[in-house]
Amino acid sequence: FEQAINTANSFNDYGDKARALSNIATTQANVGLFEQAINTANSINYASYKAEALSNIATAQANSGLFEQAINTANSISDAEYKSQALSDIVTVQAKADLINEAINTANSINNNYSSDKAKALSNIATAQAKADLINEATNTFEQAINTANSIEYDSDKAKVLSNIAT
């Protein structure tokens, strides 16, 4: 990865450099090199690419069962939208791992301004609860997901989220 990073750092165009470093950081995370990935991401001077890389790293950490690290990485993201996406992805992995209480806590940390991510997270928790035969809890969480989706301002976004919850 060192050669790839050196090559990316030689780019004159900041956007190309940031995009390349973001992709390198994501690849490092996907192969389990989380500390290196975070270092690479933190070297990115273009905010959205840095946020995207950190979001991808947090998801990879969660997929590896490193939930505390994943949440810490997600919470380090300055861009609220990428942060909520990362937290929603972590919730999905926690719910699939039957870590329902942890998933609920993570979902509750998602900023309400990003209701689509929060609704998705709650829907995934409800699915996990239903699979675990926790029907009352699943019903309550599903209702929370619908209420969260209904708080979305734009009808087209609301329809998309409600459609996703229904499937």
Side-chain angles (χ1 to χ4, degrees), residues 98-121:
D98 292 325
L99 300 171
I100 304 300
N101 290 332
E102 292 87 342
I104 290 169
N105 288 336
T106 305
N108 287 333
S109 73
I110 298 172
N111 186 319
N112 286 331
N113 290 333
Y114 295 92
S115 298
S116 61
D117 291 321
K118 192 166 197 166
K120 173 186 161 192

Side-chain angles (χ1 to χ4, degrees), residues 51-150:
E52 178 183 37
L54 289 169
S55 179
N56 291 337
I57 293 165
T59 301
Q61 289 170 318
N63 285 329
S64 295
L66 303 171
F67 296 110
E68 188 174 330
Q69 286 179 288
I71 290 167
N72 288 338
T73 300
N75 284 328
S76 76
I77 300 170
S78 59
D79 182 288
E81 185 173 0
Y82 278 106
K83 180 177 182 175
S84 71
Q85 288 174 350
L87 290 168
S88 180
D89 290 344
I90 294 166
V91 168
T92 299
V93 178
Q94 287 173 319
K96 287 180 181 176
D98 292 325
L99 300 171
I100 304 300
N101 290 332
E102 292 87 342
I104 290 169
N105 288 336
T106 305
N108 287 333
S109 73
I110 298 172
N111 186 319
N112 286 331
N113 290 333
Y114 295 92
S115 298
S116 61
D117 291 321
K118 192 166 197 166
K120 173 186 161 192
L122 291 168
S123 175
N124 288 329
I125 293 169
T127 299
Q129 289 170 320
K131 288 180 180 176
D133 224 14
L134 302 169
I135 303 307
N136 289 336
E137 292 89 341
T139 301
N140 290 335
T141 305
F142 185 69
E143 287 175 8
Q144 283 182 303
I146 292 172
N147 289 337
T148 301
N150 280 327

Side-chain angles (χ1 to χ4, degrees), residues 9 14 17-18 21 40-50:
N9 281 325
Y14 288 113
K17 178 179 179 177
L21 289 170
T40 302
N42 284 330
S43 75
I44 299 170
N45 291 325
Y46 204 106
S48 64
Y49 285 110
K50 180 177 182 175

